Amino acid sequence: MALRRVAITGVGLITAVGVGRDETWDGLINGRSGIGPITSFDTEGYRTTFGAEVKDFDPTTVMDLKNARKADRYSQFAVCAAQEAFDQADLGEFDPERAGVVIGSGIGGMHTFEEQHRKLIARGPSRVSPMFIPMMIGDMASGLVSIHLGFKGPNYSTVSACASGGHAIGVSYQHIANGDADIMIAGGAEASVCPMALAGFSSLKALSANNDNPTKASRPFDKDRDGFVLGEGAGVVVLEDMDRAVARGATIIAEFAGFGMTGDAYHMTQPDNSGTGAFNAMKRAMELGGIKSEDVGYINAHGTSTHFNDKIESGAIRRLFGSHADDMAVSSTKSMMGHLLGAAGGVECGVIALALQKGILPPTINYETPDPECDLFYCPNEAVKKQATAALSNSFGFGGHNVSLAVKAWKE
C-alpha cells in the first residue's frame, strides 16, 4: 500500500523564550535568550543555579481552574500548546474516531512527584493526594489532550528520554501515512525545572555551571561549551492527511516527509563515538521522504552544548552529507530556550516547519570560539534568511535513542 502524504497544519509552542507560537518564534529569530536564574525554588547549594523557565504561564487561559488544578505542569503545557496548534489548523468538521494524540515526555509529572513525596515524609501516607498517580504518570498529557479536544483515535505516550517528542511525531506520522488516522496531535511536553531534576543532572555533570552569566551558558558547538541548560515547555504539531488538508483549503505550513529512528546499543548516557546511530536516523528519514542530500538546506540539531554530543552530531552530519555539508545551515535553538528534554523534539519540529514556511533560519547564539571538531555553519548569533527545500530535526536521548524528522517546504 502506498503511504499517504502528511501535512503540518498547526503548531503550538510554549518555551522559556515565549508563551505561544508567535512569541517563541519572534524570540528565536531575534536571538533572545530565555535562560536566567531559577526563581521557582531555592537553588542554594546546587552546582547549577539557573535554567530556562517558562514565565507568565497561566493554564486557565485554556483549561478551567478545576481541571488545571488536577493536572501536573507538564500536562498543562501540553494542553495549552495543543489548543494553539488545533486553533491554527482550523480543522473544520472531522471524525473524532479518526483523530488521535501522541504526546511524549521523558519524565512526566515530576513536580507532582516531588510535592507528594514531601507530604509523605512530613505527614504520612494518608496525606498523599488521591490524584498523585493520575497527575504523575507520563501518559497523562496525551490523555488530557484527547479529553480536551475530543480526539478518540490512537492515544498514548512515547518515552525515550530526550527523543520522546521526536518519537511521538514520527509514530503519529506513521498512523496517518498507513491509514490508521486522518489527523494527529503530536509532540512533547516536559516540566522538569525542579529540585530533583536539577540536582540529578548537576550530579551527572551534564549541566553548564556558568552561574555568573546564565544567558551565555548554552553555547552549542562553541569550543568553550560546558554542558546543557535545563528547560521546560511543550511543542505540538497538527499532522493531517495531505489530501484532506488540500481538499478543505487548509493553510499548509509544511509537509512532514520522513522519520528515522535508531538505537546506539552503546552506553546509558554517552552517544556512540562513531555517530552511526545519528547518521542512520537522518539517512532513513531522508530515504522515506524521498529527499536528496542537496535538498536539505537546514538542520535543527540536537545541539545540546555538551562536549560529546556536539562533536559526534557534527561528524555524523559531515559524514552523511559530504561536500554538501559546507552549503547547509545548522543551528541549535537550545542556545536560547535550553534543553526541553522530552519536549525538545516537539518544539524543534515546529521550529523547522516555521523556518521552511517563513524562509528564516534561527541562529545559534553564544557562538564565539569555533571548535575544530565542529566544522559546520551554525548560523552564528544571527538568523539567516534562506528558503530551504527541506530540513531535518534531530533528537537523541539517554539510552542511545536517536530520532530524525524530515520536513519539506510546501508548494501549492
Side-chain angles (χ1 to χ4, degrees), residues 8-13 20-22 25 80-92 149 185 236-240 248-254 350 353-354 357-358:
I8 299 174
T9 53
V11 174
L13 302 174
R21 176 185 58 252
D22 293 341
W25 177 253
C80 292
Q83 183 68 61
E84 181 178 44
F86 178 83
D87 289 344
Q88 184 182 33
D90 192 19
L91 294 166
L149 296 177
I185 292 278
V236 173
V237 296
V238 175
L239 302 180
E240 184 175 352
R248 69 182 184 84
T251 298
I252 296 173
I253 300 168
L354 294 173
Q357 181 190 42
K358 299 175 184 295

Side-chain angles (χ1 to χ4, degrees), residues 218-291:
S218 184
R219 40 197 323 112
F221 308 107
D222 187 275
K223 186 177 181 180
D224 297 323
R225 63 191 183 276
D226 72 327
F228 74 82
V229 175
L230 191 61
E232 63 177 359
V236 173
V237 296
V238 175
L239 302 180
E240 184 175 352
D241 171 57
M242 181 66 78
D243 289 343
R244 182 186 189 279
V246 171
R248 69 182 184 84
T251 298
I252 296 173
I253 300 168
E255 178 176 0
F256 190 95
F259 166 47
M261 55 179 171
T262 64
D264 281 347
Y266 178 74
H267 190 272
M268 286 177 68
T269 59
Q270 185 176 317
D272 181 357
N273 290 320
S274 72
T276 300
F279 174 94
N280 285 331
M282 290 186 285
K283 184 172 181 287
R284 175 57 178 158
M286 291 165 58
E287 288 174 346
L288 187 61
I291 297 171

Side-chain angles (χ1 to χ4, degrees), residues 279-356:
F279 174 94
N280 285 331
M282 290 186 285
K283 184 172 181 287
R284 175 57 178 158
M286 291 165 58
E287 288 174 346
L288 187 61
I291 297 171
K292 299 177 182 178
S293 293
E294 58 267 29
D295 293 333
V296 179
Y298 174 55
I299 297 178
N300 188 294
H302 188 54
T304 55
S305 189
T306 59
H307 174 71
F308 287 110
N309 175 89
D310 291 5
K311 77 170 186 176
I312 292 170
E313 184 176 14
S314 295
I317 293 170
R318 171 68 66 184
R319 176 185 165 198
L320 179 61
F321 289 94
S323 61
H324 178 61
D326 293 320
D327 299 322
M328 289 169 30
V330 177
S331 73
S332 174
T333 44
K334 291 181 177 71
S335 60
M336 295 168 276
M337 58 188 177
H339 189 353
L340 278 72
L341 308 181
V347 171
E348 291 159 11
C349 180
V351 167
I352 65 169
L354 294 173
L356 291 176

Side-chain angles (χ1 to χ4, degrees), residues 31-368:
R32 184 167 65 243
S33 176
I35 298 167
I38 289 174
T39 60
S40 57
F41 60 92
D42 184 0
T43 58
E44 184 177 356
Y46 286 79
R47 178 176 178 269
T48 295
T49 61
F50 59 91
E53 293 177 294
V54 174
K55 304 290 181 58
D56 302 320
F57 172 68
D58 179 5
T60 63
T61 59
V62 172
M63 309 171 71
D64 65 52
L65 181 59
K66 181 180 178 181
N67 286 332
R69 285 177 172 171
K70 292 191 293 184
D72 186 86
R73 184 170 170 87
Y74 96 102
S75 293
Q76 294 173 352
F77 286 152
V79 172
C80 292
Q83 183 68 61
E84 181 178 44
F86 178 83
D87 289 344
Q88 184 182 33
D90 192 19
L91 294 166
E93 293 186 9
F94 62 90
D95 180 356
E97 308 286 345
R98 302 279 300 168
V101 181
V102 185
I103 305 291
S105 183
I107 300 178
M110 203 161 189
H111 281 267
T112 297
F113 204 112
E114 286 193 346
E115 178 187 4
Q116 296 303 314
H117 184 258
R118 285 192 294 267
K119 288 183 178 181
L120 172 67
I121 297 303
R123 302 170 66 185
S126 66
R127 305 305 297 179
V128 172
S129 170
M131 292 302 298
F132 166 56
I133 298 297
M135 289 176 68
M136 175 271 297
I137 52 180
D139 68 308
M140 194 50 64
S142 287
L144 291 181
V145 169
S146 72
I147 293 167
H148 181 76
L149 296 177
F151 282 25
K152 298 182 179 181
N155 182 260
Y156 55 97
S157 178
T158 51
V159 181
S160 50
C162 304
S164 299
H167 268 123
I169 294 174
V171 297
S172 293
Y173 155 77
Q174 290 177 333
H175 283 307
I176 298 175
N178 293 328
D180 300 326
D182 298 325
I183 300 163
M184 294 292 297
I185 292 278
E190 205 80 87
S192 52
V193 181
C194 57
M196 280 299 295
L198 186 69
F201 281 118
S202 292
S203 294
L204 196 59
K205 302 294 193 295
L207 299 181
S208 170
N210 191 358
N211 296 311
D212 294 332
N213 199 353
T215 60
K216 294 284 188 179
S218 184
R219 40 197 323 112
F221 308 107
D222 187 275
K223 186 177 181 180
D224 297 323
R225 63 191 183 276
D226 72 327
F228 74 82
V229 175
L230 191 61
E232 63 177 359
V236 173
V237 296
V238 175
L239 302 180
E240 184 175 352
D241 171 57
M242 181 66 78
D243 289 343
R244 182 186 189 279
V246 171
R248 69 182 184 84
T251 298
I252 296 173
I253 300 168
E255 178 176 0
F256 190 95
F259 166 47
M261 55 179 171
T262 64
D264 281 347
Y266 178 74
H267 190 272
M268 286 177 68
T269 59
Q270 185 176 317
D272 181 357
N273 290 320
S274 72
T276 300
F279 174 94
N280 285 331
M282 290 186 285
K283 184 172 181 287
R284 175 57 178 158
M286 291 165 58
E287 288 174 346
L288 187 61
I291 297 171
K292 299 177 182 178
S293 293
E294 58 267 29
D295 293 333
V296 179
Y298 174 55
I299 297 178
N300 188 294
H302 188 54
T304 55
S305 189
T306 59
H307 174 71
F308 287 110
N309 175 89
D310 291 5
K311 77 170 186 176
I312 292 170
E313 184 176 14
S314 295
I317 293 170
R318 171 68 66 184
R319 176 185 165 198
L320 179 61
F321 289 94
S323 61
H324 178 61
D326 293 320
D327 299 322
M328 289 169 30
V330 177
S331 73
S332 174
T333 44
K334 291 181 177 71
S335 60
M336 295 168 276
M337 58 188 177
H339 189 353
L340 278 72
L341 308 181
V347 171
E348 291 159 11
C349 180
V351 167
I352 65 169
L354 294 173
L356 291 176
Q357 181 190 42
K358 299 175 184 295
I360 305 174
L361 312 180
T364 303
I365 68 168
N366 301 324
Y367 186 81
E368 298 170 353

